[in-house]
Amino acid sequence: SHGLTVAAWVYRSTSGNAKDRLIDFGNGDTSNSVIVSFENSLTYRVVRNSPTTEGSASAKEEWLQIGGVGLPPNVWTHV
């Protein structure tokens, strides 16, 4: 079985839907990336580029919203 488990203690000094990132592997928001951010509470996003029939790249995104409540500011929280 393949997989990855990530656990972290996070201290945010802001609240809301800021795009603070816990993990950001890749080449930016639109190209081959794995992102875990605090956008809309906690979000896991994968962006993959695949070649189109014309030879250019087409980005495909997968999103997973994790939890419905944002993390509180100025408190250590385990995620």
Side-chain angles (χ1 to χ4, degrees):
S1 171
H2 301 287
L4 173 68
T5 301
V6 176
W9 283 96
V10 177
Y11 185 92
R12 292 188 72 203
S13 60
T14 61
S15 64
N17 291 335
K19 293 185 180 181
D20 306 345
R21 294 180 175 174
L22 184 61
I23 295 174
D24 185 350
F25 298 119
N27 299 317
D29 283 347
T30 59
S31 177
N32 296 325
S33 300
V34 174
I35 299 168
V36 176
S37 70
F38 295 102
E39 183 177 1
N40 299 318
S41 68
L42 192 58
T43 300
Y44 171 75
R45 182 170 71 156
V46 177
V47 180
R48 293 178 289 164
N49 286 359
S50 59
T52 64
T53 55
E54 295 82 27
S56 62
S58 172
K60 297 182 180 184
E61 295 189 48
E62 298 176 22
W63 291 71
L64 173 63
Q65 300 295 130
I66 305 168
V69 178
L71 298 179
N74 303 317
V75 174
W76 283 102
T77 306
H78 188 259
V79 294

